[in-house]
């Protein structure tokens, strides 16, 4: 092993990283627990065709740390964790996910997991047979996760519009939704209900056309979303949208969506700020599902999506106000707030990790 894992853990404040292999199913996975100072760690299972083992471990750690930031900003008694499963692990996925469920169970409630890229209802069902610390995709689970995320994005967009223009004035807004999947479709519906002009695109052309026809929104070619002159671009597909080659193309005033890691690198957030484009931090906007899941598991409550959305909107408002006062990019301000809070947990709370 050439990776300086312990150094990386110490540098970023990680508590635990597990490397998991199962010789029966072929499962190859990493589990990273970033912070349990304030409560158990939360984070989904990502299954992806990583280039190599090093990339998968780095992604696992980056995503786990981001979950701690999300929890801090949402003021949840929880921290961040993550699982990544290497696609190269084998073909017995049922066996692999069952084994993973057993590993999560062994963590004894210090880590709760759920869906992410590559892990949907089927995989979660396989895991629920082995552990109760996983999101049940059926009646027994929190439910309405995309709805909660979409409500957070919706109220966050409202806060951004009020911040720039003093009012939402939905009827005068042109909003482009990139990705008409679970979250993008609900978001588009909420925006249309307020009277906004909504344009949408999906890489899956057939899906995009069918959602557009169902909701009555304007359908765009997926390759043109960045160039649209509009009030808001809402990325609800994949991350890495804003980078050196796309910055000049952006025709929006606000970027605010559900996709994780919209910026290819943090300096692109500074670049947007310099250009007068308001980027609302994705790790605040898309925390609705986490908030719903954490309350469900920790205090047996199903908080209504709209209530969750309102809370996210208020958090966004506070961050944008502070960013204006400091004339700093909102993403940097949000990260600084999260870091302050995380540092204060370490001072006041004993760790709950075994
Ligand atoms: P989804 O998989 O249901 O939908 C994503 C859609 O984007 C798909 O229909 C896909 O065809 C489309 N797409 C992919 N690349 C595209 C491109 N370049 N242009 C246009 N469309 C493209 O995913 P979901 O659940 O709606 O999530 C959307 C994003 O929000 C993801 O990045 C996810 O990680 C993030 N997110 C979702 C949460 C949730 O509650 N579902 C919670 C937090 C973050």
């Amino acid at each position: 092993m050439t990776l300086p894992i312990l150094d990386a853990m110490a540098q970023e404040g990680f508590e635990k990283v597990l490397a998991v292999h199962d010789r029966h199913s072929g499962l190859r996975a990493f589990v990273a627990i970033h912070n349990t100072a304030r409560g158990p760690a939360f984070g989904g299972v990502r299954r992806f065709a990583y280039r190599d083992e090093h990339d998968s471990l780095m992604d696992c750690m980056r995503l786990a740390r981001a979950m701690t930031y999300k929890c801090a900003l949402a003021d949840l008694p929880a921290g961040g964790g993550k699982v990544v499963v290497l696609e190269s692990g084998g073909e017995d996925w049922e066996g692999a996910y069952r084994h993973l469920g057993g590993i999560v169970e062994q963590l004894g409630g210090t880590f709760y997991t759920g869906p992410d890229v590559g892990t949907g209802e089927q995989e979660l069902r396989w895991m629920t047979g082995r552990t109760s610390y996983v999101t049940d995709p059926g009646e027994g689970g929190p439910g309405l996760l995309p709805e909660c995320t979409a409500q957070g994005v919706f109220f966050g967009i409202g806060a951004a519009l009020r911040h720039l223009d003093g009012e939402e004035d939905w009827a005068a807004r042109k909003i482009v939704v990139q990705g008409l999947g679970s979250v993008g479709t609900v978001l588009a519906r909420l925006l249309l209900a307020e009277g906004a002009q909504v344009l949408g695109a999906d890489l899956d052309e057939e899906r995009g056309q069918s959602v557009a026809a169902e909701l009555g929104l304007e359908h765009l070619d997926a390759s043109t979303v960045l160039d649209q002159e509009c009030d808001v671009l809402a990325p609800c597909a994949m991350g890495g949208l804003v980078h050196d080659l796309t910055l000049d193309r952006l025709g929006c005033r606000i970027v605010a969506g559900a996709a994780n890691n919209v910026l290819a690198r943090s300096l692109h957030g500074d670049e947007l700020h310099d250009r007068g484009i308001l980027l609302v931090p994705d790790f605040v906007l898309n925390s609705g599902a986490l908030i719903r899941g954490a309350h469900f598991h920790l205090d047996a409550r199903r908080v209504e999506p709209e209530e969750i959305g309102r809370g996210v909107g208020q958090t966004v408002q506070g961050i944008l106000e502070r960013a204006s006062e400091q004339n700093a990019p909102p993403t940097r301000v949000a990260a600084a707030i999260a870091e302050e809070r995380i540092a204060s947990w370490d001072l006041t709370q004993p760790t709950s990790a075994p």
Side-chain angles (χ1 to χ4, degrees):
M1 171 59 66
T2 53
L3 287 175
I5 293 180
L6 290 171
D7 283 351
M9 288 174 69
Q11 197 176 332
E12 304 282 359
F14 276 83
E15 293 176 7
K16 193 181 282 185
V17 174
L18 304 176
V20 181
H21 172 249
D22 173 35
R23 65 192 160 86
H24 298 292
S25 62
L27 171 70
R28 290 154 64 86
F30 287 107
V31 181
I33 309 292
H34 180 247
N35 189 311
T36 61
R38 203 161 172 238
F42 280 78
V45 180
R46 178 164 296 192
R47 183 170 111 208
F48 191 70
Y50 287 101
R51 204 176 42 160
D52 57 32
E53 194 176 319
H54 178 266
D55 271 13
S56 68
L57 175 58
M58 290 304 114
D59 201 36
C60 189
M61 293 175 71
R62 186 178 57 85
L63 292 165
R65 187 164 165 269
M67 288 302 289
T68 302
Y69 279 49
K70 268 194 206 188
C71 291
L73 288 162
D75 210 13
L76 293 167
K82 199 77 191 181
V83 182
V84 301
V85 172
L86 283 75
E87 192 72 62
S88 58
E91 283 167 13
D92 176 13
W93 288 117
E94 180 171 352
Y97 276 90
R98 284 187 190 284
H99 186 86
L100 193 55
I103 298 289
V104 172
E105 184 64 21
Q106 280 172 14
L107 290 168
T110 56
F111 175 55
Y112 286 80
T113 195
D116 196 77
V117 174
T119 301
E121 290 193 13
Q122 177 64 79
E123 291 80 6
L124 294 175
R125 283 211 177 83
W126 289 330
M127 290 179 78
T128 51
R130 291 293 172 89
T131 181
S132 52
Y133 305 120
V134 64
T135 303
D136 180 338
E139 301 269 297
L144 300 181
L145 297 179
E147 285 76 3
C148 293
T149 302
Q151 287 278 2
V153 176
F154 170 71
F155 278 97
I157 290 174
L161 290 169
R162 289 197 308 278
H163 182 76
L164 287 188
D165 301 335
E167 58 179 348
E168 285 148 354
D169 195 10
W170 293 111
R173 305 302 184 179
K174 182 175 173 186
I175 300 178
V176 174
V177 180
Q178 184 200 36
L180 295 169
S182 317
V183 176
T185 302
V186 181
L187 175 64
R189 209 186 287 274
L190 292 169
L191 295 167
L192 287 164
E194 294 296 332
Q197 182 192 358
V198 182
L199 300 88
D202 199 289
L203 206 52
D204 177 345
E205 177 80 13
E206 204 176 315
R207 180 180 173 89
Q209 293 278 11
S210 114
V211 173
E214 188 196 329
L215 302 188
L217 59 79
E218 223 174 293
H219 184 256
L220 291 172
D221 183 308
S223 65
T224 66
V225 288
L226 297 177
D227 312 297
Q228 299 294 322
E229 292 290 327
C230 59
D231 293 289
V232 184
L233 170 63
C236 296
M238 299 302 280
L241 190 67
V242 179
H243 53 77
D244 292 342
L245 301 177
T246 55
L247 269 167
D248 284 336
R249 289 176 53 196
L250 293 174
C252 57
R253 300 166 63 214
I254 297 170
V255 179
N260 284 305
N261 305 315
V262 169
L263 301 173
R265 285 189 289 151
S266 56
L267 61 86
H268 293 120
D270 303 340
E271 190 68 37
L272 285 180
H273 180 69
D274 293 345
R275 290 169 186 229
I277 298 175
L278 179 62
L279 170 72
V280 184
D282 47 68
F283 53 95
V284 181
L285 271 181
N286 70 14
S287 56
L290 166 69
I291 296 171
R292 173 96 165 178
H295 283 294
F296 175 78
H297 287 293
L298 301 180
D299 32 270
R301 231 165 31 105
R302 287 191 178 94
V303 185
E304 287 302 319
E306 191 176 330
E307 186 185 336
I308 289 176
R310 280 185 199 288
V312 171
Q314 282 165 8
T315 306
V316 169
Q317 186 177 329
I319 289 166
L320 297 183
E321 282 167 5
R322 195 152 148 181
S324 272
E325 283 160 23
Q326 299 176 0
N327 188 25
T331 304
R332 291 211 183 270
V333 169
I337 295 172
E339 278 157 18
E340 277 167 28
R341 290 188 184 170
I342 293 163
S344 76
W345 301 347
D346 289 339
L347 293 176
T348 56
Q349 307 280 332
T351 178
S352 63

